[in-house]
């Protein structure tokens, strides 16, 4: 059983930066694709970015050029550096990881961007 714990959320002004981190526990094996989703009030959960074990990345169009995803395979961690934050980036951000054909989710961390 894999557990994911996010950290780094908070309140920031528009134009500011935050860094989210996610640590996985419960396995010594390398996880598969890891990523970040977000869900704003009244909206569906959406992909922000993900990264494979070999470092290939996918970004949603709305974060390209502003967010950067990275991972540490030795530690089974994934991070999301968020720059030039906008009010519309306000959401709960969830870490996800795939391991042995099953997707695992963290509890989420709130990111609030004020104008």
């Amino acid at each position: 059983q894999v557990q994911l714990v996010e950290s780094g959320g908070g309140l920031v002004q528009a134009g500011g930066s935050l860094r989210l981190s996610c640590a996985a526990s419960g396995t010594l094996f390398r996880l598969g694709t890891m990523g970040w989703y977000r869900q704003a009030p009244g909206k569906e959960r959406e992909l922000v970015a993900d990264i494979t074990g070999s470092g290939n990345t996918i970004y949603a169009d709305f974060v390209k050029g502003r967010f950067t995803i990275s991972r540490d395979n030795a530690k089974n961690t994934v991070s999301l550096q968020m720059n030039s934050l906008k009010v519309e980036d306000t959401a709960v951000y969830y870490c996800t990881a795939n391991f042995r054909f099953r997707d695992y989710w963290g509890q989420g961390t709130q990111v609030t961007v004020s104008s």
Side-chain angles (χ1 to χ4, degrees):
Q1 187 79 1
V2 174
Q3 295 86 41
L4 302 173
V5 178
E6 302 101 336
S7 61
L11 173 65
V12 65
Q13 286 190 327
S17 299
L18 281 175
R19 184 177 181 84
L20 304 183
S21 296
C22 174
S25 62
T27 180
L28 296 177
F29 294 97
R30 179 189 296 186
L31 297 175
T33 297
M34 301 182 76
W36 293 91
Y37 281 70
R38 71 185 188 185
Q39 187 167 19
K43 295 187 177 181
E44 294 187 353
R45 192 172 296 189
E46 58 185 358
L47 174 69
V48 176
D50 69 24
I51 182 168
T52 67
S54 57
N56 295 314
T57 58
I58 291 176
Y59 291 93
D61 286 344
F62 53 77
V63 302
K64 284 182 179 177
R66 300 189 298 125
F67 292 9
T68 302
I69 190 170
S70 60
R71 66 186 287 170
D72 185 331
N73 288 332
K75 297 180 180 179
N76 271 340
T77 60
V78 63
S79 297
L80 185 69
Q81 177 66 41
M82 305 186 294
N83 299 327
S84 302
L85 282 161
K86 304 176 181 180
V87 173
E88 51 265 42
D89 293 320
T90 296
V92 177
Y93 284 70
Y94 297 91
C95 172
T96 184
N98 183 273
F99 182 62
R100 293 181 177 173
F101 309 108
R102 178 179 172 180
D103 289 329
Y104 294 86
W105 294 84
Q107 293 296 311
T109 184
Q110 177 69 45
V111 171
T112 303
V113 184
S114 64
S115 58

